[in-house]
Amino acid sequence: MKTCKLTSALIFLIWLCSSCNNEEKDNVVSLTTPPPVFNLSDAKVLVDTIPVNKLSLTGLKNYLEGGSLLLSIALRNGVNVYKINYNSTDVNGDKILLSGAVVIPDVADSVPILLYEHATIPEFNEENAPSYFPKLGDGIGMSLFGANKYLVAAPDYIGYGTTKELEHPYQHRQTLASASVDMLLATEEFCKVKRLKMTDKKFITGYSEGAFAGMSTQKLIDEKYPEIKINLVTLGAGAYNTTDFAKFVLTTNANLEFINSYAWVLKVYDKVYKLNRGMGYYFVEPYATELSNNIWASVATNPQALFNQKFVNNILDNSDANFISALKDNDVYNWTPKVQMLLYHGTDDDYVPIFNSESAEAYMKERGANVKLIKISSANHTTAVPTFYINALTEFNAKK
């Protein structure tokens, strides 16, 4: 859920795990020979495409902020970046126009598609959404995969890019999944329109909220899109067990650094599931008013001083049927994926407790799924990021 920055150490380690040639090339995006005729007017999901940036290998090295020699080594090729607008559905199931980024590796080879799910972006950092191709955060993550011969499809999600005037339905399974699947379908149409040379391989990755989005997306694919074949999913530190996570937060008697993110989830569910109780039902004053006005307001970080005890009791004894139903609707640990899935989680995660991944692995493996949890020893939510991305790139390269 927290937006994490890739460090120079991460870049260096990714380079060590790569086996690609890092010489700069002057290749342009290759065309199929001969390509089938497919025009934008033929697309069902894709609406339009907007060039954002075209960067040579040298240009990409100079573009990314915080760049260093180690970052330069990790990049293998230049990229062409587009914003695409595409049709999807909103929280009510109505049609909505969403946006996302497509990062095209500037290479002659055929390349696979990688669905890249971004991490938490507070509304005051909206400019960090993928379609802006930011110089930090997920912009670096997209660049690392794009500059290692993956065509990156990165949805903005509702609330960013084209829909920045709307509130992001944070940690909402349904809309994260639909935005992502439709982004994948739109990207396939984009590749046809641009006559790009692609392999038949597809991958999904994401960290934190991006991991929750990735898990939700693969669940939707397995349930409703048998024509989409994903070869491997790698996810890091996702809040898959929403119900138990909520009870964990409500019963903790200690300061929680990321309490505002948890409050954001609660506020979103109150609205999306039309509970409409107001913040006074969930929080004590003066925090209820402050969070109503600004979800990032400075409030008590100990849940025992923040939440309304009646609400807490109703959740713990399961008497608040409507809110429990909303939580369960966003549980994504309790299903059986049809694709290989690798889960990564820091043992000392201070944001998303590791039991989220442990419960997912236990449930899925018991039912025969090819799922494995890799525990990152002594790592918290931030320090686990390098190991996650190192392994994601390595595992994808092995199946390329």
Side-chain angles (χ1 to χ4, degrees):
M1 297 187 299
K2 181 181 180 182
T3 303
C4 299
K5 299 179 181 179
L6 301 179
T7 64
S8 294
L10 164 60
I11 305 301
F12 181 63
L13 289 171
I14 288 178
W15 168 64
L16 292 179
C17 294
S18 282
S19 58
C20 303
N21 188 343
N22 71 338
E23 294 178 359
E24 182 168 2
K25 300 178 181 179
D26 295 324
N27 296 320
V28 296
V29 176
S30 301
L31 307 182
T32 55
T33 310
V37 176
F38 190 92
N39 298 315
L40 184 59
S41 59
D42 299 317
K44 296 180 180 180
V45 185
L46 180 67
V47 174
D48 59 19
T49 71
I50 305 165
V52 174
N53 217 327
K54 181 174 182 178
L55 297 165
S56 66
L57 176 55
T58 299
L60 184 59
K61 293 175 182 178
N62 294 332
Y63 176 80
L64 296 174
E65 290 184 359
S68 66
L69 175 60
L70 300 181
L71 175 60
S72 299
I73 291 172
L75 305 178
R76 309 296 175 183
N77 52 262
V79 295
N80 295 332
V81 184
Y82 283 80
K83 174 183 178 180
I84 67 171
N85 290 311
Y86 63 96
N87 292 317
S88 191
T89 51
D90 64 12
V91 295
N92 299 313
D94 297 327
K95 185 176 178 180
I96 190 172
L97 186 70
L98 298 182
S99 57
V102 177
V103 181
I104 309 168
D106 193 5
V107 296
D109 306 330
S110 297
V111 296
I113 293 177
L114 184 142
L115 183 65
Y116 181 98
E117 308 276 21
H118 73 73
T120 298
I121 302 176
E123 63 271 20
F124 52 81
N125 285 333
E126 196 272 335
E127 69 278 4
N128 289 333
S131 64
Y132 299 108
F133 195 51
K135 297 181 178 183
L136 292 171
D138 286 299
I140 294 178
M142 292 188 295
S143 296
L144 284 170
F145 288 108
N148 278 278
K149 297 185 179 181
Y150 293 88
L151 186 142
V152 176
D156 285 334
Y157 313 149
I158 295 174
Y160 307 105
T162 297
T163 57
K164 64 183 179 181
E165 75 284 355
L166 301 178
E167 182 180 1
H168 171 52
Y170 188 48
Q171 291 290 119
H172 182 233
R173 172 192 57 79
Q174 174 192 326
T175 49
L176 287 170
S178 59
S180 300
V181 170
D182 290 333
M183 178 70 189
L184 188 57
L185 296 174
T187 299
E188 290 183 321
E189 292 180 337
F190 173 90
C191 292
K192 292 179 182 178
V193 170
K194 299 298 181 181
R195 304 165 68 195
L196 303 181
K197 193 175 178 182
M198 309 300 298
T199 71
D200 61 353
K201 300 293 181 66
K202 295 182 180 67
F203 305 104
I204 298 176
T205 196
Y207 193 85
S208 206
E209 188 190 10
F212 178 81
M215 185 73 84
S216 302
T217 299
Q218 187 59 52
K219 185 175 187 292
L220 180 60
I221 289 173
D222 281 0
E223 292 172 349
K224 296 185 178 181
Y225 294 87
E227 71 276 14
I228 299 177
K229 305 298 182 183
I230 303 298
N231 297 91
L232 176 64
V233 178
T234 67
L235 304 173
Y240 316 119
N241 193 334
T242 304
T243 301
D244 284 355
F245 192 5
K247 292 179 178 180
F248 165 82
V249 171
L250 293 176
T251 56
T252 294
N253 187 12
N255 292 329
L256 298 177
E257 180 181 355
F258 308 105
I259 196 73
N260 293 81
S261 291
Y262 310 145
W264 190 9
V265 176
L266 189 154
K267 184 179 180 181
V268 165
Y269 290 179
D270 182 75
K271 180 178 180 180
V272 169
Y273 293 93
K274 297 180 170 57
L275 304 178
N276 301 321
R277 296 166 172 174
M279 292 296 96
Y281 177 81
Y282 303 103
F283 305 101
V284 299
E285 292 293 356
Y287 307 125
T289 298
E290 293 172 358
L291 289 170
S292 295
N293 296 329
N294 176 15
I295 202 63
W296 303 104
S298 179
V299 297
T301 57
N302 188 320
Q304 304 312 308
L306 178 63
F307 290 98
N308 186 319
Q309 193 59 46
K310 180 180 179 181
F311 166 64
V312 173
N313 293 339
N314 290 344
I315 294 300
L316 297 182
D317 65 15
N318 295 313
S319 62
D320 190 340
N322 290 334
F323 199 86
I324 291 291
S325 176
L327 293 173
K328 289 185 179 298
D329 190 48
N330 291 281
D331 281 336
V332 290
Y333 75 95
N334 51 353
W335 61 288
T336 309
K338 300 175 183 178
V339 64
Q340 181 184 4
M341 189 172 288
L342 300 175
L343 308 179
Y344 297 84
H345 217 123
T347 58
D348 297 339
D349 196 309
D350 51 345
Y351 197 175
V352 182
I354 194 172
F355 69 72
N356 283 275
S357 291
E358 291 173 335
S359 57
E361 182 196 37
Y363 186 98
M364 295 172 177
K365 288 185 74 171
E366 184 178 344
R367 289 156 180 79
N370 186 3
V371 175
K372 181 180 180 181
L373 169 60
I374 298 91
K375 296 183 179 181
I376 306 172
S377 179
S378 302
N380 63 28
H381 198 72
T382 300
T383 59
V385 174
T387 299
F388 168 67
Y389 277 104
I390 291 163
N391 281 274
L393 183 61
T394 302
E395 295 291 344
F396 289 149
N397 283 343
K399 289 184 174 290
K400 223 173 185 181

